[in-house]
Amino acid sequence: MLIALPEPPTAIVAGDAASAFQAIEGLGNLGKRVPEDMSVVGFDDCPAAANFPGLTTVRQPAEEVGQLAGQFVSRLLEGAPASECRVTLPVELIIRASTASPRSE
């Protein structure tokens, strides 16, 4: 649907690499090229993301996320308020072949 809009988006940000790969495949089925016609970004930087087609992705500290999630669940079960179980962790944008500079119209 988005591709059929009079002014389609120039990029798709997927929630994970598998969804990003599906988006790339779907765009190809519609005759669209990545990144020439549309950029695609995934999230999680799994090993497959570095392989063809070279998925641009957001790398997160997955091990630290898991450790903190376990700690927060324990704290919540002990009665800690949810507001005390939040944290912002750094992420890193890994630029690869699935994105291009914004088009100038």
Coordinates of all heavy atoms in Angstrom, one line a residue:
M1 N 0.8 -1.2 0.0 CA 0.0 0.0 0.0 C 0.9 1.3 0.0 O 0.5 2.2 -0.7 CB -0.9 0.0 1.2 CG -2.1 -0.9 1.1 SD -3.3 -0.8 2.5 CE -2.6 0.1 3.7
L2 N 1.9 1.2 0.8 CA 2.7 2.4 0.9 C 3.4 2.8 -0.4 O 3.6 4.0 -0.8 CB 3.8 2.3 2.0 CG 3.3 2.2 3.4 CD1 4.4 1.9 4.4 CD2 2.6 3.4 3.8
I3 N 3.8 1.8 -1.1 CA 4.5 2.0 -2.4 C 3.6 2.6 -3.4 O 4.0 3.4 -4.3 CB 5.1 0.6 -3.0 CG1 6.0 0.0 -1.9 CG2 5.8 0.8 -4.3 CD1 7.2 0.9 -1.5
A4 N 2.3 2.4 -3.3 CA 1.3 2.9 -4.3 C 0.9 4.3 -4.0 O 0.2 4.9 -4.8 CB 0.1 2.0 -4.3
L5 N 1.3 4.9 -2.9 CA 1.0 6.3 -2.6 C 1.6 7.2 -3.6 O 2.6 7.0 -4.2 CB 1.5 6.6 -1.2 CG 0.8 6.0 0.0 CD1 1.6 6.3 1.3 CD2 -0.6 6.4 0.1
P6 N 0.9 8.4 -3.8 CA 1.4 9.4 -4.8 C 2.9 9.8 -4.4 O 3.7 10.1 -5.2 CB 0.5 10.5 -4.7 CG -0.8 9.9 -4.1 CD -0.4 8.8 -3.3
E7 N 3.1 9.9 -3.1 CA 4.4 10.2 -2.6 C 4.9 9.1 -1.6 O 4.7 9.2 -0.4 CB 4.5 11.6 -1.9 CG 4.2 12.7 -2.8 CD 4.4 14.1 -2.1 OE1 5.3 14.2 -1.3 OE2 3.6 15.0 -2.5
P8 N 5.4 8.0 -2.1 CA 5.7 6.9 -1.2 C 6.9 7.2 -0.3 O 7.7 8.1 -0.6 CB 6.1 5.8 -2.2 CG 6.5 6.5 -3.5 CD 5.7 7.7 -3.5
P9 N 7.0 6.5 0.8 CA 8.2 6.7 1.7 C 9.5 6.4 0.9 O 9.5 5.7 -0.1 CB 7.9 5.8 2.8 CG 7.0 4.7 2.3 CD 6.2 5.4 1.2
T10 N 10.5 6.9 1.5 CA 11.8 6.6 0.9 C 12.6 5.6 1.7 O 13.7 5.2 1.3 CB 12.7 7.9 0.8 OG1 12.9 8.4 2.2 CG2 12.0 9.0 -0.1
A11 N 12.0 5.2 2.8 CA 12.7 4.2 3.7 C 11.7 3.4 4.5 O 10.6 3.9 4.8 CB 13.7 4.9 4.6
I12 N 12.2 2.2 4.9 CA 11.4 1.3 5.8 C 12.3 1.0 6.9 O 13.5 0.6 6.7 CB 11.0 0.0 5.1 CG1 10.0 0.3 4.0 CG2 10.4 -1.0 6.1 CD1 9.6 -0.9 3.1
V13 N 11.8 1.1 8.2 CA 12.6 0.7 9.3 C 11.8 -0.5 9.9 O 10.7 -0.3 10.3 CB 12.7 1.8 10.4 CG1 13.5 1.3 11.6 CG2 13.4 3.0 9.8
A14 N 12.4 -1.6 9.9 CA 11.8 -2.9 10.4 C 12.2 -3.1 11.8 O 13.2 -2.7 12.3 CB 12.2 -4.0 9.5
G15 N 11.4 -3.9 12.5 CA 11.6 -4.2 13.9 C 12.7 -5.2 14.2 O 13.2 -5.3 15.3
D16 N 13.1 -6.0 13.1 CA 14.2 -6.9 13.2 C 14.7 -7.3 11.8 O 14.1 -6.8 10.8 CB 13.7 -8.2 14.0 CG 12.5 -8.9 13.3 OD1 12.4 -8.9 12.1 OD2 11.7 -9.5 14.1
A17 N 15.7 -8.0 11.8 CA 16.4 -8.3 10.5 C 15.4 -9.2 9.6 O 15.4 -9.0 8.4 CB 17.7 -9.1 10.7
A18 N 14.7 -10.2 10.2 CA 13.9 -11.0 9.4 C 12.8 -10.2 8.7 O 12.5 -10.4 7.5 CB 13.2 -12.1 10.3
S19 N 12.2 -9.2 9.4 CA 11.2 -8.4 8.8 C 11.8 -7.5 7.7 O 11.2 -7.2 6.7 CB 10.5 -7.5 9.8 OG 9.8 -8.3 10.8
A20 N 13.0 -7.0 8.0 CA 13.7 -6.2 7.0 C 14.0 -7.0 5.7 O 13.8 -6.5 4.6 CB 15.0 -5.7 7.5
F21 N 14.4 -8.3 5.9 CA 14.7 -9.1 4.7 C 13.4 -9.4 3.9 O 13.4 -9.4 2.7 CB 15.4 -10.4 5.1 CG 16.8 -10.3 5.5 CD1 17.2 -10.9 6.7 CD2 17.7 -9.5 4.8 CE1 18.6 -10.7 7.1 CE2 19.0 -9.3 5.2 CZ 19.4 -9.9 6.4
Q22 N 12.3 -9.6 4.6 CA 11.0 -9.7 4.0 C 10.6 -8.5 3.2 O 10.1 -8.6 2.1 CB 9.9 -10.1 5.0 CG 10.1 -11.5 5.5 CD 9.0 -11.8 6.6 OE1 8.4 -10.9 7.2 NE2 8.9 -13.1 7.0
A23 N 10.9 -7.3 3.8 CA 10.6 -6.1 3.1 C 11.4 -5.9 1.8 O 10.9 -5.5 0.8 CB 10.8 -4.9 4.0
I24 N 12.7 -6.3 1.9 CA 13.5 -6.2 0.7 C 13.0 -7.2 -0.4 O 12.9 -6.8 -1.5 CB 15.0 -6.6 1.1 CG1 15.6 -5.4 2.0 CG2 15.9 -6.8 -0.1 CD1 16.9 -5.7 2.6
E25 N 12.6 -8.4 0.0 CA 12.1 -9.3 -0.9 C 10.8 -8.8 -1.5 O 10.6 -8.9 -2.8 CB 11.8 -10.7 -0.2 CG 11.3 -11.7 -1.2 CD 11.0 -13.1 -0.5 OE1 11.3 -13.2 0.7 OE2 10.6 -14.0 -1.2
G26 N 9.9 -8.2 -0.7 CA 8.6 -7.7 -1.2 C 8.9 -6.5 -2.2 O 8.2 -6.4 -3.2
L27 N 9.8 -5.7 -1.8 CA 10.1 -4.5 -2.7 C 10.6 -5.1 -4.1 O 10.2 -4.6 -5.1 CB 11.2 -3.6 -2.1 CG 10.6 -2.8 -0.9 CD1 11.8 -2.2 -0.1 CD2 9.7 -1.7 -1.4
G28 N 11.5 -6.1 -4.0 CA 12.0 -6.7 -5.2 C 10.9 -7.2 -6.1 O 10.9 -7.1 -7.3
N29 N 9.9 -7.9 -5.4 CA 8.8 -8.4 -6.2 C 7.9 -7.4 -6.8 O 7.2 -7.6 -7.8 CB 7.9 -9.3 -5.2 CG 8.5 -10.5 -4.8 OD1 9.5 -11.0 -5.4 ND2 8.1 -11.1 -3.7
L30 N 8.0 -6.1 -6.3 CA 7.3 -5.0 -6.9 C 8.2 -4.2 -7.9 O 7.8 -3.2 -8.4 CB 6.8 -4.0 -5.8 CG 5.8 -4.6 -4.8 CD1 5.6 -3.7 -3.7 CD2 4.5 -4.8 -5.6
G31 N 9.3 -4.7 -8.2 CA 10.2 -4.1 -9.1 C 11.0 -2.9 -8.5 O 11.6 -2.1 -9.3
K32 N 11.1 -2.8 -7.2 CA 11.8 -1.8 -6.5 C 13.2 -2.3 -6.1 O 13.4 -3.4 -5.7 CB 11.0 -1.3 -5.3 CG 9.6 -0.8 -5.6 CD 9.7 0.5 -6.5 CE 8.3 1.0 -6.8 NZ 8.3 2.1 -7.7
R33 N 14.2 -1.4 -6.3 CA 15.5 -1.7 -5.9 C 15.9 -1.1 -4.6 O 15.5 0.0 -4.3 CB 16.5 -1.2 -7.0 CG 16.2 -1.7 -8.4 CD 16.9 -0.9 -9.4 NE 16.4 0.5 -9.4 CZ 17.2 1.5 -9.7 NH1 18.4 1.4 -10.2 NH2 16.6 2.7 -9.6
V34 N 16.6 -1.9 -3.8 CA 17.2 -1.4 -2.5 C 18.7 -1.2 -2.6 O 19.3 -2.1 -3.1 CB 16.8 -2.4 -1.4 CG1 17.5 -2.1 -0.1 CG2 15.3 -2.6 -1.2
P35 N 19.2 -0.1 -2.4 CA 18.6 1.1 -1.8 C 18.2 2.2 -2.8 O 17.8 3.3 -2.4 CB 19.7 1.6 -0.9 CG 21.0 1.4 -1.7 CD 20.7 0.0 -2.4
E36 N 18.4 1.9 -4.1 CA 18.2 3.0 -5.1 C 16.7 3.6 -5.1 O 16.6 4.8 -5.2 CB 18.4 2.4 -6.5 CG 19.9 2.1 -6.8 CD 20.2 0.6 -6.3 OE1 19.4 0.0 -5.7 OE2 21.4 0.2 -6.6
D37 N 15.7 2.7 -4.9 CA 14.3 3.2 -4.8 C 13.8 3.4 -3.4 O 13.0 4.2 -3.1 CB 13.4 2.2 -5.6 CG 13.8 2.1 -7.0 OD1 14.1 3.1 -7.7 OD2 13.8 0.9 -7.5
M38 N 14.3 2.5 -2.5 CA 13.9 2.6 -1.1 C 15.0 2.0 -0.2 O 15.5 1.0 -0.5 CB 12.6 1.8 -0.9 CG 12.2 1.8 0.5 SD 10.4 2.0 0.9 CE 9.6 2.6 -0.5
S39 N 15.3 2.7 0.9 CA 16.2 2.2 1.9 C 15.5 1.3 2.8 O 14.3 1.5 3.1 CB 16.9 3.4 2.6 OG 17.7 4.2 1.8
V40 N 16.2 0.4 3.4 CA 15.6 -0.5 4.4 C 16.6 -0.7 5.5 O 17.8 -0.9 5.3 CB 15.3 -1.9 3.8 CG1 14.8 -2.9 4.9 CG2 14.3 -1.8 2.7
V41 N 16.1 -0.5 6.8 CA 16.9 -0.6 8.0 C 16.3 -1.7 8.9 O 15.1 -1.7 9.0 CB 17.0 0.7 8.7 CG1 17.8 0.6 10.0 CG2 17.6 1.8 7.8
G42 N 17.1 -2.5 9.5 CA 16.6 -3.5 10.4 C 17.0 -3.1 11.8 O 17.6 -2.1 12.0
F43 N 16.7 -4.0 12.7 CA 17.1 -3.7 14.1 C 17.5 -5.0 14.8 O 16.7 -6.0 14.8 CB 15.8 -3.2 14.9 CG 16.2 -2.6 16.2 CD1 16.4 -1.2 16.3 CD2 16.2 -3.3 17.3 CE1 16.7 -0.7 17.5 CE2 16.5 -2.8 18.6 CZ 16.8 -1.5 18.7
D44 N 18.7 -5.1 15.3 CA 19.2 -6.2 16.1 C 20.6 -6.6 15.6 O 21.3 -7.3 16.3 CB 18.3 -7.4 16.2 CG 18.0 -8.2 15.0 OD1 18.7 -8.0 14.0 OD2 17.1 -9.0 15.0
D45 N 21.0 -6.3 14.4 CA 22.3 -6.6 13.9 C 22.7 -8.1 14.1 O 23.8 -8.4 14.6 CB 23.4 -5.7 14.5 CG 24.7 -5.8 13.7 OD1 24.6 -6.0 12.4 OD2 25.8 -5.7 14.2
C46 N 21.8 -9.0 13.7 CA 22.1 -10.4 13.7 C 23.2 -10.7 12.7 O 23.5 -9.9 11.8 CB 20.9 -11.2 13.5 SG 20.2 -11.1 11.8
P47 N 23.9 -11.9 12.8 CA 24.9 -12.2 11.8 C 24.5 -12.1 10.4 O 25.3 -11.7 9.5 CB 25.4 -13.6 12.2 CG 25.0 -13.7 13.7 CD 23.8 -12.9 13.9
A48 N 23.3 -12.5 10.1 CA 22.8 -12.5 8.7 C 22.7 -11.1 8.1 O 22.8 -10.9 6.9 CB 21.4 -13.1 8.6
A49 N 22.6 -10.1 9.0 CA 22.5 -8.7 8.6 C 23.8 -8.2 7.8 O 23.7 -7.4 6.9 CB 22.2 -7.8 9.7
A50 N 24.9 -8.7 8.2 CA 26.1 -8.3 7.5 C 26.3 -9.0 6.1 O 27.1 -8.5 5.3 CB 27.3 -8.7 8.4
N51 N 25.6 -10.0 5.9 CA 25.7 -10.7 4.6 C 24.8 -10.1 3.6 O 24.1 -9.1 3.9 CB 25.3 -12.2 4.8 CG 26.3 -12.9 5.7 OD1 27.5 -12.5 5.8 ND2 25.8 -13.8 6.5
F52 N 24.8 -10.6 2.4 CA 24.0 -10.0 1.3 C 22.5 -10.0 1.8 O 22.0 -10.9 2.4 CB 24.0 -10.9 0.1 CG 23.3 -10.3 -1.1 CD1 23.8 -9.3 -1.8 CD2 22.0 -10.8 -1.4 CE1 23.1 -8.7 -2.9 CE2 21.3 -10.3 -2.5 CZ 21.9 -9.2 -3.2
P53 N 21.8 -8.9 1.6 CA 22.2 -7.7 0.9 C 23.0 -6.6 1.7 O 23.0 -5.5 1.3 CB 20.9 -7.1 0.4 CG 20.0 -7.4 1.5 CD 20.4 -8.8 2.0
G54 N 23.5 -7.0 2.8 CA 24.3 -6.0 3.6 C 23.3 -5.0 4.3 O 23.2 -3.9 3.9
L55 N 22.5 -5.5 5.2 CA 21.5 -4.8 5.9 C 22.0 -3.7 6.8 O 22.7 -4.0 7.8 CB 20.6 -5.8 6.6 CG 19.3 -5.1 7.3 CD1 18.4 -4.5 6.3 CD2 18.6 -6.2 8.1
T56 N 21.6 -2.5 6.6 CA 21.9 -1.4 7.6 C 21.0 -1.8 8.8 O 19.8 -2.1 8.6 CB 21.5 -0.1 7.0 OG1 22.4 0.2 5.9 CG2 21.6 1.0 8.0
T57 N 21.6 -1.6 10.0 CA 20.9 -2.1 11.2 C 21.2 -1.3 12.4 O 22.2 -0.6 12.4 CB 21.1 -3.6 11.4 OG1 20.4 -4.1 12.4 CG2 22.6 -3.8 11.7
V58 N 20.4 -1.4 13.4 CA 20.7 -0.8 14.7 C 21.2 -1.9 15.6 O 20.5 -2.9 15.8 CB 19.5 -0.1 15.3 CG1 19.7 0.5 16.7 CG2 19.0 1.0 14.3
R59 N 22.4 -1.7 16.1 CA 23.0 -2.7 17.0 C 22.6 -2.3 18.4 O 22.9 -1.1 18.8 CB 24.5 -2.8 16.8 CG 25.1 -3.8 17.8 CD 26.6 -3.8 17.6 NE 26.9 -4.3 16.2 CZ 28.1 -4.1 15.6 NH1 29.0 -3.3 16.1 NH2 28.3 -4.6 14.4
Q60 N 22.1 -3.2 19.2 CA 21.8 -2.9 20.6 C 22.7 -3.9 21.5 O 23.1 -5.0 21.0 CB 20.4 -3.1 20.9 CG 19.9 -4.5 20.6 CD 18.4 -4.7 20.9 OE1 17.9 -4.1 21.8 NE2 17.7 -5.6 20.2
P61 N 22.9 -3.5 22.7 CA 23.7 -4.4 23.6 C 22.8 -5.5 24.1 O 22.3 -5.5 25.3 CB 24.1 -3.5 24.7 CG 23.1 -2.4 24.8 CD 22.6 -2.2 23.4
A62 N 22.6 -6.6 23.3 CA 21.6 -7.6 23.6 C 21.9 -8.3 25.0 O 20.9 -8.6 25.7 CB 21.6 -8.6 22.5
E63 N 23.1 -8.6 25.2 CA 23.4 -9.3 26.5 C 23.0 -8.4 27.7 O 22.4 -8.9 28.6 CB 24.9 -9.7 26.6 CG 25.2 -10.5 27.8 CD 26.7 -11.0 27.7 OE1 27.2 -11.3 26.7 OE2 27.3 -11.1 28.8
E64 N 23.3 -7.2 27.6 CA 23.0 -6.3 28.7 C 21.5 -6.1 28.8 O 20.9 -6.0 29.9 CB 23.7 -4.9 28.5 CG 23.5 -4.0 29.7 CD 24.3 -2.7 29.5 OE1 25.0 -2.5 28.5 OE2 24.2 -1.8 30.4
V65 N 20.8 -6.1 27.7 CA 19.3 -6.0 27.7 C 18.7 -7.2 28.5 O 17.8 -7.0 29.3 CB 18.7 -5.9 26.3 CG1 17.2 -6.1 26.3 CG2 19.1 -4.6 25.6
G66 N 19.2 -8.4 28.2 CA 18.7 -9.6 28.8 C 19.0 -9.6 30.3 O 18.1 -9.9 31.1
Q67 N 20.2 -9.1 30.7 CA 20.6 -9.1 32.1 C 19.7 -8.1 32.9 O 19.2 -8.4 33.9 CB 22.0 -8.7 32.3 CG 23.0 -9.8 31.8 CD 24.4 -9.3 31.9 OE1 24.7 -8.1 32.0 NE2 25.4 -10.3 31.7
L68 N 19.5 -6.9 32.3 CA 18.7 -5.9 32.9 C 17.2 -6.4 33.0 O 16.5 -6.1 34.0 CB 18.8 -4.6 32.2 CG 20.1 -3.9 32.4 CD1 20.3 -2.7 31.5 CD2 20.2 -3.4 33.9
A69 N 16.7 -7.0 32.0 CA 15.3 -7.5 32.0 C 15.1 -8.5 33.1 O 14.1 -8.4 33.9 CB 15.0 -8.2 30.6
G70 N 16.1 -9.4 33.3 CA 15.9 -10.3 34.5 C 16.0 -9.6 35.8 O 15.2 -9.9 36.7
Q71 N 16.8 -8.6 35.9 CA 16.9 -7.8 37.2 C 15.6 -7.0 37.4 O 15.1 -7.0 38.5 CB 18.1 -6.9 37.1 CG 19.4 -7.5 37.2 CD 20.6 -6.5 36.9 OE1 20.4 -5.3 37.0 NE2 21.8 -7.1 36.6
F72 N 15.1 -6.5 36.3 CA 13.8 -5.7 36.5 C 12.6 -6.5 36.9 O 11.8 -6.2 37.7 CB 13.6 -4.9 35.2 CG 14.5 -3.7 35.0 CD1 14.6 -3.1 33.8 CD2 15.3 -3.2 36.0 CE1 15.5 -2.0 33.6 CE2 16.2 -2.1 35.8 CZ 16.3 -1.5 34.6
V73 N 12.6 -7.7 36.3 CA 11.5 -8.6 36.6 C 11.6 -9.0 38.1 O 10.6 -9.0 38.8 CB 11.5 -9.9 35.7 CG1 10.6 -11.0 36.3 CG2 11.1 -9.6 34.3
S74 N 12.8 -9.3 38.6 CA 12.9 -9.6 40.0 C 12.5 -8.4 40.9 O 11.8 -8.6 41.9 CB 14.4 -10.0 40.3 OG 14.7 -11.2 39.7
R75 N 12.9 -7.2 40.5 CA 12.6 -6.0 41.3 C 11.1 -5.8 41.3 O 10.5 -5.4 42.3 CB 13.3 -4.8 40.8 CG 14.8 -4.9 41.1 CD 15.7 -3.8 40.6 NE 15.2 -2.5 41.0 CZ 15.6 -1.4 40.4 NH1 16.5 -1.4 39.4 NH2 15.1 -0.2 40.8
L76 N 10.4 -6.0 40.1 CA 9.0 -5.8 40.0 C 8.3 -6.8 40.9 O 7.3 -6.5 41.6 CB 8.5 -5.9 38.6 CG 8.9 -4.7 37.7 CD1 8.6 -5.1 36.2 CD2 8.2 -3.5 38.1
L77 N 8.7 -8.1 40.9 CA 8.1 -9.1 41.7 C 8.3 -8.8 43.2 O 7.5 -9.2 44.1 CB 8.7 -10.5 41.4 CG 8.3 -11.0 40.0 CD1 9.1 -12.3 39.7 CD2 6.8 -11.2 39.9
E78 N 9.3 -8.1 43.5 CA 9.6 -7.7 44.9 C 8.8 -6.4 45.3 O 8.9 -6.0 46.5 CB 11.1 -7.5 45.2 CG 11.9 -8.7 45.1 CD 13.4 -8.5 45.0 OE1 13.8 -7.3 45.0 OE2 14.1 -9.5 45.0
G79 N 8.1 -5.8 44.4 CA 7.2 -4.7 44.7 C 7.8 -3.4 44.2 O 7.2 -2.3 44.5
A80 N 8.9 -3.3 43.5 CA 9.4 -2.0 43.1 C 8.5 -1.4 42.0 O 7.8 -2.1 41.3 CB 10.8 -2.2 42.4
P81 N 8.3 -0.1 42.1 CA 7.4 0.5 41.1 C 8.1 0.4 39.7 O 9.3 0.5 39.5 CB 7.4 2.0 41.5 CG 8.5 2.2 42.5 CD 8.9 0.8 43.0
A82 N 7.2 0.3 38.7 CA 7.7 0.2 37.3 C 8.6 1.4 36.9 O 9.5 1.2 36.1 CB 6.5 0.1 36.3
S83 N 8.3 2.6 37.5 CA 9.1 3.7 37.1 C 10.6 3.6 37.5 O 11.4 4.3 36.9 CB 8.5 5.0 37.8 OG 8.6 4.8 39.2
E84 N 10.9 2.7 38.4 CA 12.2 2.4 38.8 C 12.9 1.3 38.0 O 14.1 1.0 38.2 CB 12.3 2.0 40.3 CG 11.9 3.2 41.2 CD 12.0 2.8 42.7 OE1 12.5 1.7 43.0 OE2 11.5 3.6 43.5
C85 N 12.2 0.8 37.0 CA 12.7 -0.3 36.2 C 12.8 0.1 34.8 O 12.4 -0.7 33.9 CB 11.8 -1.6 36.4 SG 11.8 -2.2 38.1
R86 N 13.3 1.2 34.5 CA 13.5 1.7 33.2 C 15.0 2.2 33.0 O 15.5 2.7 33.9 CB 12.6 2.9 32.9 CG 11.1 2.5 32.9 CD 10.3 3.7 32.6 NE 8.9 3.3 32.7 CZ 7.9 4.1 32.8 NH1 8.1 5.4 32.7 NH2 6.7 3.7 32.9
V87 N 15.5 2.0 31.8 CA 16.8 2.4 31.6 C 16.9 2.7 30.0 O 16.2 2.0 29.3 CB 17.8 1.3 32.0 CG1 17.7 0.1 31.2 CG2 19.3 1.9 31.9
T88 N 17.8 3.6 29.7 CA 18.1 3.8 28.3 C 19.5 3.3 28.0 O 20.4 3.8 28.7 CB 18.0 5.3 27.9 OG1 16.6 5.7 28.2 CG2 18.3 5.6 26.5
L89 N 19.6 2.5 27.1 CA 21.0 1.9 26.7 C 21.4 2.5 25.4 O 20.6 2.8 24.5 CB 20.9 0.4 26.6 CG 20.5 -0.3 27.9 CD1 20.3 -1.8 27.7 CD2 21.6 -0.1 29.0
P90 N 22.7 2.6 25.2 CA 23.2 3.1 23.9 C 23.0 2.1 22.8 O 23.0 0.9 23.0 CB 24.7 3.3 24.2 CG 25.0 2.4 25.2 CD 23.8 2.3 26.1
V91 N 22.8 2.6 21.6 CA 22.7 1.8 20.4 C 23.6 2.3 19.4 O 24.1 3.4 19.5 CB 21.2 1.7 19.8 CG1 20.3 1.0 20.8 CG2 20.7 3.1 19.4
E92 N 23.9 1.5 18.3 CA 24.8 2.0 17.3 C 24.2 1.7 15.9 O 23.7 0.6 15.7 CB 26.1 1.2 17.4 CG 27.2 1.6 16.5 CD 28.5 0.8 16.6 OE1 28.5 -0.1 17.5 OE2 29.4 1.0 15.9
L93 N 24.2 2.7 15.1 CA 23.8 2.5 13.7 C 24.9 1.9 12.9 O 26.0 2.5 12.8 CB 23.3 3.8 13.1 CG 22.8 3.8 11.7 CD1 21.6 2.9 11.5 CD2 22.5 5.2 11.1
I94 N 24.6 0.8 12.3 CA 25.6 0.1 11.4 C 25.2 0.3 10.0 O 24.2 -0.3 9.6 CB 25.7 -1.4 11.8 CG1 25.9 -1.6 13.3 CG2 26.8 -2.1 10.9 CD1 27.2 -1.0 13.8
I95 N 25.9 1.2 9.3 CA 25.4 1.5 7.9 C 26.1 0.5 6.9 O 27.3 0.3 6.9 CB 25.8 2.9 7.5 CG1 25.1 3.9 8.5 CG2 25.5 3.2 6.1 CD1 25.5 5.3 8.4
R96 N 25.2 -0.1 6.1 CA 25.6 -1.1 5.1 C 24.9 -0.7 3.8 O 24.5 0.4 3.6 CB 25.3 -2.5 5.6 CG 26.1 -2.9 6.9 CD 26.0 -4.4 7.1 NE 26.7 -4.8 8.3 CZ 26.2 -5.1 9.5 NH1 24.8 -5.1 9.6 NH2 26.9 -5.5 10.5
A97 N 24.8 -1.7 3.0 CA 24.4 -1.5 1.6 C 22.9 -1.3 1.4 O 22.5 -1.0 0.3 CB 24.9 -2.7 0.7
S98 N 22.1 -1.5 2.4 CA 20.6 -1.4 2.1 C 20.1 0.0 2.3 O 18.9 0.2 2.2 CB 19.9 -2.3 3.1 OG 20.0 -1.9 4.4
T99 N 20.9 1.0 2.5 CA 20.5 2.4 2.6 C 21.3 3.3 1.7 O 22.4 3.0 1.4 CB 20.6 2.9 4.1 OG1 21.9 2.7 4.5 CG2 19.6 2.2 5.0
A100 N 20.7 4.4 1.3 CA 21.3 5.4 0.5 C 21.0 6.8 1.1 O 20.1 6.9 1.9 CB 20.8 5.3 -0.9
S101 N 21.7 7.8 0.6 CA 21.4 9.1 1.1 C 20.0 9.5 0.6 O 19.6 9.0 -0.4 CB 22.4 10.1 0.5 OG 23.7 9.8 1.0
P102 N 19.4 10.4 1.4 CA 18.0 10.8 0.9 C 18.1 11.4 -0.5 O 19.0 12.1 -0.8 CB 17.6 11.9 2.0 CG 18.5 11.6 3.2 CD 19.8 11.0 2.6
R103 N 17.0 11.1 -1.2 CA 16.9 11.7 -2.6 C 16.6 13.1 -2.5 O 15.8 13.5 -1.6 CB 15.8 10.9 -3.4 CG 16.1 9.5 -3.6 CD 15.1 8.8 -4.5 NE 13.8 8.9 -4.0 CZ 13.1 8.0 -3.4 NH1 13.8 6.9 -3.1 NH2 11.9 8.1 -3.0
S104 N 17.1 13.9 -3.4 CA 16.7 15.3 -3.5 C 15.7 15.4 -4.6 O 16.0 14.9 -5.7 CB 17.9 16.2 -3.7 OG 18.7 15.8 -4.8
E105 N 14.6 16.0 -4.4 CA 13.6 16.1 -5.4 C 13.6 17.4 -6.2 O 13.9 18.4 -5.7 CB 12.2 15.9 -4.8 CG 12.1 14.7 -3.9 CD 11.6 13.5 -4.5 OE1 11.0 13.5 -5.6 OE2 11.9 12.4 -4.0

